[in-house]
Amino acid sequence: GDVADCSASGLTRVPAGFGPYITTLDLSGNSITALTGSSFAGLTSLTTLLLNKTALQSIDNSSFAPLTALQTLDMTGVSLHCCGLEWLRTLGQGLATSWIAAPTLSPVCLGPSALVGRALVQLHVSPICRIDPSGACTTS
């Protein structure tokens, strides 16, 4: 398959225009802070996605929907706000190689405070946390 090596390229968002035959996309070491529902549109052949050591903080729950062939997801060194990310933990459980099989690939929690520094894979309670009426994230 085709490989797109965009590692350490100073990117702030996922570039567009990849062909449908890309099987590996390396975005590691970039300044991408968010993934949206259109970030990976059309990448239906992608089997390996490397997001390690990126500045990711937020991920829309439809971000990975187009990636129907995804088998490997590396998010080593990524810190996310873990509120509402139960879906991401579930996604990881369905992949051949992710933080379920290799916990070192797991993103860690940036918040809420009770979860800071804990790997997403280690959080087995569901929901991990909830948004209270004031909009704050709480683990209770």
Side-chain angles (χ1 to χ4, degrees), residues 47-86:
T47 58
T48 301
L49 178 58
L50 306 177
L51 293 169
N52 47 305
K53 299 181 179 75
T54 56
L56 270 179
Q57 292 182 3
S58 68
I59 302 176
D60 185 273
N61 64 3
S62 62
S63 300
F64 298 114
L67 305 180
T68 54
L70 192 65
Q71 296 174 13
T72 301
L73 177 60
D74 186 347
M75 296 183 76
T76 308
V78 172
S79 297
L80 298 169
H81 201 285
C82 288
C83 246
L85 289 185
E86 290 83 7

Side-chain angles (χ1 to χ4, degrees), residues 56-57 59 75-83 85 88 99 103-112 115-123:
L56 270 179
Q57 292 182 3
I59 302 176
M75 296 183 76
T76 308
V78 172
S79 297
L80 298 169
H81 201 285
C82 288
C83 246
L85 289 185
L88 184 58
W99 48 86
T104 56
L105 302 182
S106 178
V108 298
C109 295
L110 187 61
L115 302 178
V116 170
R118 291 188 56 197
L120 188 64
V121 71
Q122 295 173 334
L123 306 179

